[in-house]
Amino acid sequence: MENKPTYEEAAKTLAELVAKLEKGDLSLEQTIKTYEEAKKASAYCIELLETAKLKITEVTDQ
Amino acid sequence: MIQPSQTSALTVSQLNSYVKFLFEGDVKLANITVEGEITDFRRQFSSGHLYFSLKDENSRLRCVMFRSAAAKLAFNPENGARVTVTGRVTVYEASGEYQLYVNSMRPSGAGELALALEQLKRKLAAEGLFDPAKKRPLPAFPKRIGVITSASGAAFHDIINVLTRRYPLCEVVFCPAAVQGSLCPQENVRALRRLNREPDLDLIIIGRGGGSAEDLMGYNNEALVREVAASRVPVVSAVGHEIDFTLCDFAADRRAPTPSAAAELSSPDIDDLKLRIDNMINAGVNFTLNYLNARIDRHAELLSRMRALSPAGIIERRGQDIALLNLRARAAAAKRVDDLAAVQKANAEKLAAMDPEKIFKRGYTAVRNETGRVTTVTALNPGDGITLEFFDGIANATVSDIRRIRNGE
């Protein structure tokens, strides 16, 4: 299994899927599939946004 | 060793050498700070050394600043400037003059500080360090944000608070550094270098909260300003408050009035992001629904066309024909019944009109004799007994006279 996509990647995927739907030249099967994927991507984005917690790392110049 | 005696005179060189020896044996003169006004300022172009005197109301002091020290100057000394210099006092044997060999020089007084700052600013601007074309855009979705400020100051907490609220998706890489005092410039330079070695760092926020002009001085340090300008990673400078500008602000890719503001302009707002996601998926839902509706409409149209062509459709239409015929038959039949009824009615009326009783009631009577109903006077003779039939009874009568009015058939 690949690494979990970051928010930016997921948001980009979502934008691409929606653009694909907007073009409207997909077959019915492709449309349903793309729509399901878009729904999944958006749910994932929202989940990332809702559960994100700021990470703080301290480094020194030594 | 020089042995002064009454008999043998010293050479000039010997005396100057001796005086120099005395000067250099003095600990205080080896590192001394003095303040005065510059006069007789001269820069030797071939060597780069600076020659000048410091004076006050009563006295003068010859000074020299070698190129190596002069190169570190953050301002251009000029006649009339009040400066504080540090160096050692020694004797120049060739001329027998003592002078101050200056290691460092800074303007004294607020006016001079401002002047020095202005001069440094012009110098760095001329080198293109503040060039707007050099400024890079900040990434829209930073993953790792470097922060350089004091570990104990409010600035760090302000930045963390803003990022926690707006964009908790990112990671803060914090490298502490002094935000004022003599260590401020070098610690910030080192922190900048350290963070520039971090992989995947999207931007660096460098700064501190507000303070006096003196507190912020470190951020006007030439080395630090150059480091900011040279940073591989884009830098957001947030030194002080709205009105305080430092040279770091000019050299940075973006300047923020406060550390909080720096954190805000470095990060997208999570609520905006949620809205964007919502908008995108809503667009997706709408397009999909439209698509499906268009498909359904097309399907319905095809269905109706198909039905028209199918055997079932044909049968249906035949059925419709038959039903129509049925209707027509029923209408025709109904009309026929109506017609018959009308005839019937007319006959009944005729029949009613022929009812003898009605005729009797209108005043007509029937005449009978012994052979039956008499319909002509020719069947009667005077003296014949006849019966008159009324609607409510009969009367017997005798014919007294006969008169024929017209011939019958």
Side-chain angles (χ1 to χ4, degrees):
Chain A
M1 196 62 194
E2 64 202 29
N3 280 342
K4 280 194 161 183
T6 64
Y7 169 78
E8 301 78 63
E9 286 162 355
K12 189 161 164 267
T13 304
L14 173 58
E16 284 165 1
L17 291 171
V18 172
K20 228 163 118 182
L21 287 172
E22 280 174 353
K23 271 187 86 181
D25 56 359
L26 298 178
S27 71
L28 179 65
E29 198 182 336
Q30 283 170 321
T31 298
I32 301 284
K33 192 165 157 277
T34 309
Y35 173 71
E36 289 296 333
E37 283 171 15
K39 248 179 73 176
K40 231 185 269 172
S42 84
Y44 180 69
C45 286
I46 295 290
E47 190 201 324
L48 280 186
L49 293 178
E50 305 245 307
T51 61
K53 201 163 178 308
L54 190 69
K55 186 178 164 199
I56 303 171
T57 312
E58 186 167 333
V59 298
T60 62
D61 54 351
Q62 299 313 317
Chain B
M1 205 59 230
I2 297 160
Q3 300 282 327
S5 80
Q6 281 154 346
T7 55
S8 57
L10 292 174
T11 64
V12 173
S13 302
Q14 281 175 322
L15 180 58
N16 281 353
S17 189
Y18 176 64
V19 174
K20 182 177 181 177
F21 168 77
L22 288 181
F23 269 72
E24 293 188 342
D26 189 297
V27 179
K28 279 184 190 158
L29 291 180
N31 186 16
I32 199 159
T33 299
V34 60
E35 188 185 358
E37 183 187 323
I38 294 178
T39 186
D40 297 334
F41 180 83
R42 186 162 57 86
R43 182 191 297 270
Q44 195 175 73
F45 281 101
S46 56
S47 64
H49 306 330
L50 307 181
Y51 299 93
F52 56 97
S53 292
L54 289 182
K55 67 170 185 180
D56 59 18
E57 295 78 24
N58 306 312
S59 198
R60 283 173 173 241
L61 168 69
R62 290 187 69 85
C63 300
V64 59
M65 192 172 194
F66 291 130
R67 186 177 59 184
S68 56
K72 293 179 198 150
L73 278 177
F75 74 111
N76 290 325
E78 53 194 24
N79 285 332
R82 287 192 64 79
V83 291
T84 303
V85 300
T86 300
R88 66 190 169 90
V89 175
T90 187
V91 173
Y92 182 52
E93 284 181 69
S95 64
E97 288 173 316
Y98 80 89
Q99 49 189 3
L100 180 64
Y101 290 78
V102 179
N103 292 323
S104 68
M105 170 161 52
R106 59 183 174 83
S108 35
E112 279 76 8
L113 271 174
L115 174 72
L117 195 57
E118 192 52 40
Q119 285 173 339
L120 178 59
K121 186 179 160 191
R122 257 186 268 141
K123 172 177 152 188
L124 298 179
E127 287 182 33
L129 261 69
F130 309 149
D131 193 346
K134 268 189 61 188
K135 314 245 175 255
R136 295 161 290 185
L138 303 179
F141 302 105
K143 283 189 273 297
R144 306 187 81 211
I145 298 179
V147 173
I148 302 174
T149 187
S150 160
S152 57
F156 180 68
H157 295 284
D158 289 348
I159 291 168
I160 295 303
N161 283 343
V162 170
L163 291 179
T164 300
R165 170 170 55 79
R166 276 175 69 91
Y167 195 57
L169 290 168
C170 69
E171 177 190 355
V172 169
V173 185
F174 176 48
C175 190
V179 294
Q180 64 193 68
S182 58
L183 288 176
C184 169
Q186 76 188 65
E187 286 195 14
N188 275 280
V189 166
R190 281 159 66 179
L192 268 171
R193 288 186 183 156
R194 173 69 186 80
L195 286 185
N196 265 286
R197 289 200 303 272
E198 272 299 308
D200 305 325
L201 204 63
D202 294 294
L203 65 100
I204 296 172
I205 298 173
I206 185 170
R208 52 158 291 156
S212 68
E214 215 179 324
D215 288 341
L216 308 183
M217 242 357 243
Y219 293 91
N220 290 317
N221 176 272
E222 182 171 352
L224 177 54
V225 177
R226 288 188 184 280
E227 200 67 34
V228 168
S231 177
R232 174 183 62 83
V233 180
V235 176
V236 177
S237 172
V239 181
H241 282 309
E242 327 277 338
I243 51 164
D244 309 321
F245 269 92
T246 65
L247 297 187
C248 274
D249 293 327
F250 292 111
D253 293 284
R254 280 291 284 277
R255 189 249 171 183
T258 64
S260 298
E264 285 202 12
L265 61 85
S266 302
S267 59
D269 188 341
I270 196 164
D271 289 334
D272 287 347
L273 296 181
K274 284 184 192 166
L275 198 64
R276 277 171 51 153
I277 295 297
D278 281 351
N279 285 344
M280 273 199 275
I281 195 62
N282 283 345
V285 168
N286 285 339
F287 279 103
T288 307
L289 279 181
N290 286 345
Y291 178 93
L292 292 180
N293 281 337
R295 284 287 157 129
I296 288 167
D297 288 350
R298 170 107 182 97
H299 182 69
E301 188 206 328
L302 284 177
L303 252 184
S304 72
R305 278 168 58 188
M306 198 175 79
R307 202 175 289 145
L309 296 172
S310 72
I314 293 166
I315 290 168
E316 190 179 308
R317 268 182 300 141
R318 293 265 165 87
Q320 282 171 358
D321 291 349
I322 289 164
L324 193 64
L325 286 176
N326 239 326
L327 261 176
R328 282 169 59 191
R330 208 181 295 164
K335 185 166 182 298
R336 182 88 189 104
V337 169
D338 285 351
D339 288 352
L340 289 176
V343 170
Q344 184 64 38
K345 198 178 162 206
N347 286 345
E349 276 166 8
K350 275 187 205 160
L351 219 56
M354 281 158 53
D355 185 346
E357 210 173 273
K358 278 196 176 156
I359 299 170
F360 289 148
K361 275 187 178 171
R362 294 213 310 266
Y364 294 96
T365 55
V367 179
R368 292 177 188 273
N369 58 15
E370 50 276 34
T371 56
R373 188 172 278 187
V374 179
T375 60
T376 167
V377 288
T378 55
L380 295 178
N381 294 302
D384 283 354
I386 52 173
T387 305
L388 299 178
E389 208 178 307
F390 295 86
F391 83 95
D392 51 354
I394 53 168
N396 292 318
T398 306
V399 178
S400 58
D401 186 30
I402 291 169
R403 216 177 313 140
R404 195 165 168 193
I405 294 166
R406 60 178 174 243
N407 285 323
E409 291 283 311

